[in-house]
Amino acid sequence: MNHSKTILLDVQDKPSAINWVLLSFQHLFAMFGATILVPFLVGIDPAVALISSGVGTLAFLIVTKGQVPAYLGSSFAFIAPLIAVKAQGGPGAAMVGAFLAGLVYAIVSLFIKAIGYNWVMKLLPPIVVGPIIVVIGLSLANTAVTMAMNDPDGKYSTLHFSVALVTLMITIISSVFFKSFLSLIPVLIGIIGGYLYSIAIGIVDFTKVLEAKWFQAPQMIIPFKDYTPTLTVEIVFLMVPVALVTLSEHIGHQMLLSQVINRDLIQKPGLASSIFGDGLATMVAALIGGPPNTTYGENIGVLAITRVFSVYVIAGAAVFAIFFGFIGKISALIQSIPTPVMGGVSILLFGIIASSGLRMMIDSQVNLGEKRNLIIASVILVIGIGGAIIHISDQFELHGMALAAIIGVLLNVILPNDEKKERLTNNTEDSVA
């Protein structure tokens, strides 16, 4: 990061009214495509995801006392477990799972406040987290390709596949060749381009958009009103391992953000504070029917390029997100986007998630020439991507990603590293002597 560039607005600086609106809209666009994609895939109202991302971000800013300029949006890591939980127990069970993920964050933040954060890093080193992130991306590959290739009846359609390919190409071109602000929103540009192409070939139905009111309440899922919360062992084992993985993602984002704004956020306001804020945002989202939230790398990118670090700008984007969630026409317009458009974008995004797991291992200089590391990575990848299941009872199964995460953590704890191996060898030699 180049810290020699002039800071245009520091963390506590307040922009003028017009700049405030424009800068906040920029952050809204940066997170928009990814935030609405998650509920689209999981099968919940995208308007609720917008509202929960806005409310969650404001909660995060309050908890961190306005010291961390981070925007929180829908988390990709929870897509597969949410789909699995929802298939078994309905939308209510998915929200219980999302709330549990936020609770895990809150509990971990209390531990960190009491005994520091080094234990988290030891439990989840890059050799465990990297392959699990690869699994998160590649386990969703089939979902992306199915969305891309099929018509609304679930049958293969060359016409619909062409929509996905056009969307994918526009997104790639936007990401690689566009400059400045446009380079920050390739997903949004891809979705708009694919949508316009879909209109041109006649596969978009505007009926619901025309029927929708300008202002209408989104389809929130409220506990005790829409469902009775029930925590099962299966929900715990599907959601908790993923929450542990996203914790490491949170820590990585905080380190990156510290570099961008040239402040040590791990020390002040502290990792415990930011993790608790992230967890609170997820719990708030779950209470209204939104997906788990996470800090967004896209918005950190906006901060790095614009050199505008103001939390007021982030808060402005959150307020706009909440406002948009209550505009019925916008919600209906989002839901009129054909599935292959989202399939085309997903091919790239899920691939990038998988690649970022590889990048984490490369950046952390993980040595795959070492047998221990090779074994841990190999086992996590095959169990996770293969979709292995441990069937314990009719009510309880351990699925691919969760099972891979648990086995990965256990292997990392059990298998000796070079230092342990050396000690074991020396002890053996001493006992023989």
Side-chain angles (χ1 to χ4, degrees):
M1 294 293 166
N2 184 3
H3 301 302
S4 61
K5 286 184 181 177
T6 307
I7 296 173
L8 300 181
L9 284 172
D10 210 346
V11 176
Q12 301 292 337
D13 292 345
K14 192 182 288 186
S16 64
I18 294 173
N19 286 348
W20 197 343
V21 170
L22 292 174
L23 291 167
S24 291
F25 259 106
Q26 184 170 239
H27 276 282
L28 183 75
F29 285 133
M31 69 82 188
F32 196 87
T35 291
I36 65 165
L37 182 59
V38 174
F40 198 95
L41 295 171
V42 176
I44 56 180
D45 189 351
V48 178
L50 277 178
I51 293 166
S52 64
S53 83
V55 173
T57 298
L58 293 176
F60 177 84
L61 293 176
I62 291 166
V63 168
T64 56
K65 298 174 183 173
Q67 294 178 54
V68 185
Y71 193 93
L72 280 72
S74 307
S75 171
F76 277 80
F78 288 97
I79 293 171
L82 281 176
I83 290 171
V85 172
K86 193 181 173 201
Q88 289 165 9
M95 291 307 107
V96 171
F99 188 88
L100 176 64
L103 199 58
V104 169
Y105 270 57
I107 293 166
V108 169
S109 75
L110 293 175
F111 272 107
I112 289 173
K113 199 170 183 67
I115 58 174
Y117 59 86
N118 287 335
W119 65 276
V120 182
M121 313 301 279
K122 285 178 183 174
L123 194 67
L124 296 164
I127 186 54
V128 174
V129 176
I132 292 172
I133 292 172
V134 174
V135 168
I136 289 170
L138 294 187
S139 64
L140 293 164
N142 189 52
T143 303
V145 172
T146 302
M147 288 170 65
M149 293 195 306
N150 296 345
D151 63 16
D153 297 324
K155 295 175 182 173
Y156 174 80
S157 165
T158 306
L159 185 68
H160 286 75
F161 196 23
S162 75
V163 171
L165 293 175
V166 166
T167 305
L168 177 61
M169 288 311 299
I170 292 170
T171 308
I172 291 170
I173 290 165
S174 303
S175 181
V176 175
F177 296 106
F178 287 7
K179 301 294 180 187
S180 64
F181 174 55
L182 292 178
S183 67
L184 300 176
I185 51 168
V187 171
L188 191 64
I189 293 169
I191 290 171
I192 292 168
Y195 190 53
L196 293 174
Y197 176 72
S198 301
I199 294 169
I201 62 173
I203 65 166
V204 179
D205 182 6
F206 286 109
T207 309
K208 288 184 179 177
V209 181
L210 296 171
E211 289 173 353
K213 296 173 184 173
W214 275 104
F215 291 96
Q216 70 180 41
Q219 297 167 1
M220 293 185 180
I221 307 167
I222 311 294
F224 302 106
K225 175 178 172 287
D226 300 309
Y227 66 96
T228 303
T230 308
L231 184 63
T232 65
V233 179
E234 188 155 24
I235 291 174
V236 172
F237 275 93
L238 276 168
M239 301 298 283
V240 171
V242 183
L244 292 174
V245 173
T246 54
L247 269 169
S248 65
E249 179 187 45
H250 175 95
I251 294 166
H253 278 168
Q254 291 302 103
M255 290 175 173
L256 176 59
L257 189 55
S258 296
Q259 284 184 303
V260 170
I261 68 172
N262 206 17
R263 295 180 183 207
D264 190 351
L265 299 175
I266 304 295
Q267 295 297 325
K268 186 183 177 184
L271 203 53
S273 177
S274 65
I275 286 175
F276 184 79
D278 206 333
L280 180 63
T282 291
M283 288 189 277
V284 168
L287 291 175
I288 62 171
N293 283 319
T294 186
T295 49
Y296 259 30
E298 292 93 329
N299 294 86
I300 296 174
V302 173
L303 294 172
I305 288 168
T306 60
R307 311 299 294 170
V308 173
F309 306 147
S310 172
V311 289
Y312 293 98
V313 170
I314 301 290
V319 171
F320 281 132
I322 296 166
F323 179 67
F324 274 17
F326 285 98
I327 299 176
K329 293 283 186 192
I330 289 178
S331 181
L333 194 67
I334 292 168
Q335 291 181 65
S336 74
I337 299 169
T339 304
V341 172
M342 293 306 195
V345 168
S346 298
I347 289 170
L348 181 61
L349 285 178
F350 296 160
I352 287 173
I353 291 170
S355 300
S356 67
L358 295 174
R359 183 181 169 186
M360 172 182 272
M361 288 192 285
I362 292 166
D363 289 348
S364 304
Q365 296 181 326
V366 172
N367 179 16
L368 288 177
E370 190 182 325
K371 282 183 185 177
R372 175 187 188 275
N373 292 342
L374 191 62
I375 289 168
I376 293 170
S378 303
V379 172
I380 290 172
L381 289 172
V382 174
I383 286 177
I385 296 167
I389 296 173
I390 292 181
H391 184 81
I392 296 169
S393 69
D394 291 337
Q395 285 78 38
F396 175 52
E397 290 179 342
L398 260 180
H399 289 264
M401 192 198 306
L403 183 60
I406 290 168
I407 290 174
V409 169
L410 288 175
L411 284 175
N412 178 60
V413 171
I414 295 165
L415 294 179
N417 56 28
D418 283 346
E419 287 178 20
K420 282 185 192 169
K421 208 185 296 177
E422 201 174 311
R423 281 202 301 271
L424 285 170
T425 307
N426 291 338
N427 289 341
T428 307
E429 287 172 355
D430 291 343
S431 63
V432 170

